[in-house]
Amino acid sequence: MKFSSRSHYGLRAMVALARSYPRGPVPLAEIARSEDISFSYLEQLMASLRRAGLVGSTRGVHGGYQLTDAPAEVTVGQVLRALEGPIAPAECASETGNSVFCDRETDCPSKTFWENLRDNIAQVVDATTLADLCPGDTVKVP
Amino acid sequence: MKFSSRSHYGLRAMVALARSYPRGPVPLAEIARSEDISFSYLEQLMASLRRAGLVGSTRGVHGGYQLTDAPAEVTVGQVLRALEGPIAPAECASETGNSVFCDRETDCPSKTFWENLRDNIAQVVDATTLADLCPGDTVKVP
DNA sequence: TAAAATCCCTACTGAATTACTGGGAATTAC
DNA sequence: GTAATTCCCAGTAATTCAGTAGGGATTTTA
């Protein structure tokens, strides 16, 4: 049971962006360097985050990426879903609709468990914001 | 973020064993049939569960597998750990000791989050027993 | 206009993991 | 002794993951 490196790297990158919010766009090369992530790989992660609307990008010489919303408004759940898709500890217990595939459907006791676990994970990731992961930063009212 | 099919099949098998507890050993072929799992694959899963002490086995003609403890005494957490190892949503946040590997170590904000998520998942899986997954069975005091 | 910086896209690849399959040895009941 | 069963280990096909590579497209600076 693991989250992929996409999530680990992606979350770290988002925290990095949160720390320099709202000071204009940050070039990827800078994040790649400070977080020690492959530049090309990070590019792909940012593409997913951009498509999800979590970050905005600016091209050109002083371009880069920046959060579209304040760190306190962005949940870790949003980040993880953008990077890994819906939370689903089991095929039969995905957040998004029905990945029908198991014929047990209605009365599978295990399914009930997996759904319960899924909801619990969702509750945790949705209750944590990027601001919570930026210790020392007093972004909120001083 | 998924649990592997080991967990899905293994948990289903354990629920099946729980349902026929404590009526002596159940042959694997029977579980494989009723749960529609490959016999050979199921064998491997049971080996893990046996090594973890969760099930006992009897060889020979009327042999099979059976729970070593009552369903209400076996948590889903025990089953999942036997099948997949320690709960660890991230390398740096494993239940068992330190898989030191990330140099950020102490002050990584993300690490704190992963540990928090891990503890939450652990809490859920450890609070659920096989008895909870056996609806209709009135195993407890009638 | 030209050059530099930066994002954007897509395809590929090597490694690891997963999900099995198969064969045979040991054990027990009858 | 034979049939039913667990036990054990080796191999393998498919998938996923993590990362690489390279060529645009767009914007700013000069």
Side-chain angles (χ1 to χ4, degrees):
Chain A
M1 204 299 287
K2 266 188 232 143
F3 282 81
S4 73
S5 80
R6 286 178 69 88
S7 291
H8 303 147
Y9 289 161
L11 183 57
R12 292 225 313 264
M14 285 296 272
V15 170
L17 285 182
R19 271 198 288 260
S20 55
Y21 182 88
R23 283 179 256 126
V26 181
L28 259 202
E30 192 173 311
I31 298 178
R33 195 173 344 104
S34 74
E35 293 294 325
D36 198 39
I37 305 174
S38 147
F39 176 84
S40 297
Y41 194 34
L42 188 55
E43 256 189 327
Q44 294 176 49
L45 308 186
M46 294 312 286
S48 296
L49 293 166
R50 181 174 45 79
R51 285 185 211 108
L54 298 178
V55 300
S57 58
T58 314
R59 293 194 185 191
V61 171
H62 289 121
Y65 289 89
Q66 57 191 319
L67 295 186
T68 50
D69 296 304
E73 303 300 317
V74 185
T75 71
V76 175
Q78 290 178 290
V79 175
L80 298 187
R81 289 190 191 91
L83 292 166
E84 303 226 26
I87 291 170
E91 291 280 356
C92 63
S94 175
E95 276 182 327
T96 60
N98 41 0
S99 41
V100 182
F101 148 84
C102 184
D103 45 346
R104 276 150 234 284
E105 298 272 337
T106 52
D107 58 347
C108 177
S110 297
K111 178 175 177 180
T112 311
F113 165 75
W114 294 117
E115 287 173 341
N116 186 34
L117 179 58
R118 174 200 65 194
D119 293 342
N120 217 278
I121 292 173
Q123 195 274 322
V124 173
V125 300
D126 288 334
T128 312
T129 72
L130 292 182
D132 297 330
L133 300 184
C134 293
D137 291 16
T138 315
V139 180
K140 299 174 183 176
V141 188
Chain B
M1 204 300 287
K2 267 190 231 143
F3 282 80
S4 73
S5 78
R6 286 178 69 87
S7 291
H8 303 148
Y9 290 161
L11 183 57
R12 291 224 312 263
M14 286 297 272
V15 170
L17 285 182
R19 270 198 288 258
S20 52
Y21 183 87
R23 284 179 253 127
V26 182
L28 260 202
E30 192 174 311
I31 298 178
R33 199 177 337 108
S34 74
E35 293 293 327
D36 198 39
I37 305 174
S38 146
F39 175 83
S40 299
Y41 193 35
L42 188 54
E43 254 188 329
Q44 296 175 49
L45 307 187
M46 294 312 286
S48 296
L49 294 167
R50 179 173 46 78
R51 284 186 215 108
L54 298 178
V55 299
S57 58
T58 313
R59 288 195 184 191
V61 171
H62 289 120
Y65 289 89
Q66 58 191 317
L67 296 187
T68 51
D69 295 305
E73 303 300 318
V74 185
T75 71
V76 174
Q78 290 177 290
V79 175
L80 298 187
R81 289 190 191 90
L83 292 166
E84 303 226 28
I87 291 170
E91 292 279 354
C92 64
S94 175
E95 275 182 327
T96 61
N98 41 0
S99 40
V100 182
F101 148 84
C102 183
D103 45 343
R104 277 151 232 285
E105 296 273 333
T106 51
D107 60 346
C108 177
S110 297
K111 179 176 177 180
T112 310
F113 165 74
W114 294 117
E115 287 173 340
N116 187 34
L117 179 58
R118 174 199 66 194
D119 292 343
N120 215 277
I121 293 173
Q123 195 274 323
V124 173
V125 300
D126 288 333
T128 312
T129 72
L130 293 182
D132 296 329
L133 300 184
C134 293
D137 293 15
T138 315
V139 180
K140 299 175 182 176
V141 187

